[in-house]
Amino acid sequence: MCLFHIDRRSLRFRLLTRLGGASLAVVLFAWYLHGFFLHELAKDFLGERLKDEASHIVTLLKKDERPVAQLMAAAREESLSFHHFYVLRVGEKVSTSLPALPTQMLPLLEGKGDALFMHQFQQQPLLVYRHVFDIRGDAVQLLIAENFSPVEQGLTRVHWWIAASAILLWGILISLNLLAVRRGLKPLSVLRHQLSELQSGYRKRIVLEAPSELDALVSQLNTLLDEFDLRLTRSRESVANLSHALKTPLAALTQVLRGKRPINEVRRGKMLQRVETIHSQLETELRRARIAGPRAGQTTRPVEEAQRLIEMFQGIYPQRTFLLECLGVSNEHADSWVNVETQDFTEMLGILLDNAGKWSVNQVQCRLTIESDQIVLCVEDDGPGVPEAQLAHLGERGWRQDETHPGYGLGLSILAHLVKHYAGCVSYSTAGAGGLRAEVHLSTRK
């Protein structure tokens, strides 16, 4: 990945633009605050100096016993030593160090109390301090002003130097953000590489030391991979079982058809039996494929799927009666999704209903119980049942109680495998009507 490659849709570009914009806003705000506080600091510093100077002039004026006119002249001479402008008004008489000042600054004399403020004079800023006092009963207003332009020019130079430093700091922040984002997104690059290896067949699972935010994603991807692997294994086993089951009758039919012996009624009957066996086996596999239905996902609605399966098996075994009873299922749970994959749920319940429909005499009873953390399936039939001593063999791969009925002895072994996948358990016992009672507990916590 090129460090400076620009992809506007990438997460890196979005993070960098947002972090860069935020850091630029912070730098500009800090630069503005620096200029504001620096100006205020200089203003306060010079203001204190003007206050000290005003106090000095007031002290001199109050000690002097000469008439007011002479005092004002003395004040003008005193103020010249400080190189500041001043305006002194005693009653209606005004004295100033600069003749042009009174007209401009008379409005400032009208104020009450001491104050420090900025005033524009001849397009230059003046820092003005107004002090109000009295001399021998006469009200006196004293204005002392200082040209603030040199200070502002110095502050502007410092401010622009700070701006250059801020731009340099912002560039450093952008570079650090670029490195941090690149390092932070490195797990995504590793994940993409591992997904490519999965696609190429060099890897079966994702092993990634990812940030905690990606733990759920990695876990779900691995769960999905396990599901695909399990389905592939089951599909291969089904194809292998079907191929093995069809191999013998097809070989027998081929041998008969290639032979020169006449096909009498006995051989014709055996051939028909072989063909019916092949048809039955194919029908069984196709029925299992149809059980899954069109909507396979990570969750299922058990009540809805159970009702659909009951209706389907009622059509497959019209001479039987299939009953569905939902125990402990509230209206809230009846329409809710649970953490059981739809195909797995329908296949497990389909195996139980198919097995019960095959062996029952009149009726198949299905009970569905949904609890907060598990689903319980119970299917009973009124068939001949299984002897107590043989119940432990149910679920063993290839074991069949009655060889006269078509089948491979694989359905209940597949059921056991699926139940184990959901950390559940399956048990068999004798039903009240004498048939087989199968009960499955599935955990819905993931």
Side-chain angles (χ1 to χ4, degrees), residues 33-191:
L33 287 181
H34 170 269
F36 175 77
F37 287 120
L38 193 63
H39 184 275
E40 292 299 312
L41 181 63
K43 179 181 171 183
D44 291 343
F45 176 77
L46 294 180
E48 289 298 324
R49 198 166 65 179
L50 295 179
K51 291 178 183 177
D52 293 340
E53 186 174 341
S55 299
H56 177 72
I57 293 175
V58 170
T59 302
L60 292 178
L61 291 176
K62 287 188 175 180
K63 288 181 178 178
D64 203 326
E65 298 296 335
R66 289 177 291 178
V68 172
Q70 296 180 7
L71 287 177
M72 296 177 70
R76 181 171 60 250
E77 295 173 356
E78 186 70 26
S79 65
L80 293 176
S81 61
F82 292 96
H83 306 288
H84 291 158
F85 310 118
Y86 88 96
V87 177
L88 179 66
R89 185 175 72 180
V90 180
E92 298 300 329
K93 297 180 179 178
V94 178
S95 175
T96 177
S97 61
L98 187 64
L101 278 177
T103 305
Q104 297 288 332
M105 302 186 72
L106 279 179
L108 303 180
L109 292 171
E110 301 302 328
K112 297 181 179 178
D114 299 345
L116 182 67
F117 41 81
M118 298 297 296
H119 181 73
Q120 288 292 327
F121 176 70
Q122 296 180 352
Q123 298 182 348
Q124 289 185 341
L126 290 180
L127 180 63
V128 181
Y129 176 65
R130 181 182 63 214
H131 183 54
V132 180
F133 59 101
D134 64 87
I135 297 178
R136 285 172 278 176
D138 295 327
V140 180
Q141 292 84 30
L142 172 63
L143 297 178
I144 299 181
E146 180 174 357
N147 188 358
F148 204 67
S149 296
V151 178
E152 279 200 338
Q153 292 173 1
L155 293 177
T156 301
R157 284 195 299 272
V158 172
H159 199 44
W160 283 113
W161 274 109
I162 295 298
S165 302
I167 292 174
L168 178 61
L169 178 62
W170 183 65
I172 294 174
L173 286 175
I174 291 295
S175 301
L176 293 176
N177 286 337
L178 181 62
L179 295 176
V181 170
R182 181 179 173 81
R183 186 176 180 83
L185 295 180
K186 188 176 180 180
L188 293 181
S189 300
V190 177
L191 177 61

Side-chain angles (χ1 to χ4, degrees), residues 71-363:
L71 287 177
M72 296 177 70
R76 181 171 60 250
E77 295 173 356
E78 186 70 26
S79 65
L80 293 176
S81 61
F82 292 96
H83 306 288
H84 291 158
F85 310 118
Y86 88 96
V87 177
L88 179 66
R89 185 175 72 180
V90 180
E92 298 300 329
K93 297 180 179 178
V94 178
S95 175
T96 177
S97 61
L98 187 64
L101 278 177
T103 305
Q104 297 288 332
M105 302 186 72
L106 279 179
L108 303 180
L109 292 171
E110 301 302 328
K112 297 181 179 178
D114 299 345
L116 182 67
F117 41 81
M118 298 297 296
H119 181 73
Q120 288 292 327
F121 176 70
Q122 296 180 352
Q123 298 182 348
Q124 289 185 341
L126 290 180
L127 180 63
V128 181
Y129 176 65
R130 181 182 63 214
H131 183 54
V132 180
F133 59 101
D134 64 87
I135 297 178
R136 285 172 278 176
D138 295 327
V140 180
Q141 292 84 30
L142 172 63
L143 297 178
I144 299 181
E146 180 174 357
N147 188 358
F148 204 67
S149 296
V151 178
E152 279 200 338
Q153 292 173 1
L155 293 177
T156 301
R157 284 195 299 272
V158 172
H159 199 44
W160 283 113
W161 274 109
I162 295 298
S165 302
I167 292 174
L168 178 61
L169 178 62
W170 183 65
I172 294 174
L173 286 175
I174 291 295
S175 301
L176 293 176
N177 286 337
L178 181 62
L179 295 176
V181 170
R182 181 179 173 81
R183 186 176 180 83
L185 295 180
K186 188 176 180 180
L188 293 181
S189 300
V190 177
L191 177 61
R192 185 176 62 180
H193 179 67
Q194 293 193 5
L195 288 175
S196 178
E197 291 181 340
L198 280 170
Q199 187 177 11
S200 303
Y202 294 106
R203 179 180 292 273
K204 290 187 176 180
R205 290 180 63 82
I206 296 176
V207 180
L208 181 64
E209 293 183 1
S212 58
E213 289 83 358
L214 295 180
D215 286 348
L217 174 63
V218 173
S219 176
Q220 290 177 358
L221 284 175
N222 282 328
T223 301
L224 192 60
L225 291 172
D226 292 340
E227 292 288 342
F228 286 153
D229 189 57
L230 179 63
R231 291 185 189 182
L232 181 61
T233 302
R234 281 155 47 187
S235 177
R236 286 173 176 171
E237 288 179 352
S238 298
V239 172
N241 293 332
L242 182 60
S243 175
H244 178 73
L246 296 180
K247 185 177 179 181
T248 301
L250 285 176
L253 290 173
T254 303
Q255 185 179 9
V256 171
L257 293 175
R258 286 180 177 175
K260 296 180 179 179
R261 296 174 55 189
I263 302 176
N264 54 28
E265 291 301 323
V266 176
R267 300 191 70 188
R268 186 186 303 278
K270 291 182 178 179
M271 289 177 64
L272 285 174
Q273 186 179 4
R274 296 285 188 183
V275 172
E276 289 175 354
T277 302
I278 293 174
H279 181 269
S280 175
Q281 290 166 342
L282 288 174
E283 185 63 28
T284 301
E285 291 300 328
L286 290 174
R287 187 164 62 239
R288 286 186 56 196
R290 287 196 299 269
I291 284 174
R295 190 180 62 233
Q298 295 297 316
T299 57
T300 188
R301 286 177 171 170
V303 175
E304 181 180 329
E305 293 299 326
Q307 291 172 343
R308 185 177 67 84
L309 287 175
I310 289 293
E311 293 175 1
M312 191 185 77
F313 277 96
Q314 188 65 69
I316 296 175
Y317 300 100
Q319 68 278 20
R320 316 284 198 264
T321 300
F322 286 79
L323 301 175
L324 174 63
E325 184 179 7
C326 298
L327 301 176
V329 180
S330 64
N331 293 331
E332 179 183 357
H333 285 156
D335 295 329
S336 63
W337 296 86
V338 297
N339 290 326
V340 177
E341 208 271 337
T342 301
Q343 182 173 345
D344 293 341
F345 178 80
T346 54
E347 185 163 0
M348 286 185 284
L349 184 55
I351 290 173
L352 293 176
L353 292 175
D354 189 25
N355 194 62
K358 188 185 302 180
W359 292 100
S360 67
V361 177
N362 296 312
Q363 179 175 296

Side-chain angles (χ1 to χ4, degrees), residues 16-30:
L16 285 176
T17 51
R18 284 162 176 73
L19 290 174
S23 59
L24 179 62
V26 171
V27 168
L28 289 177
F29 185 64

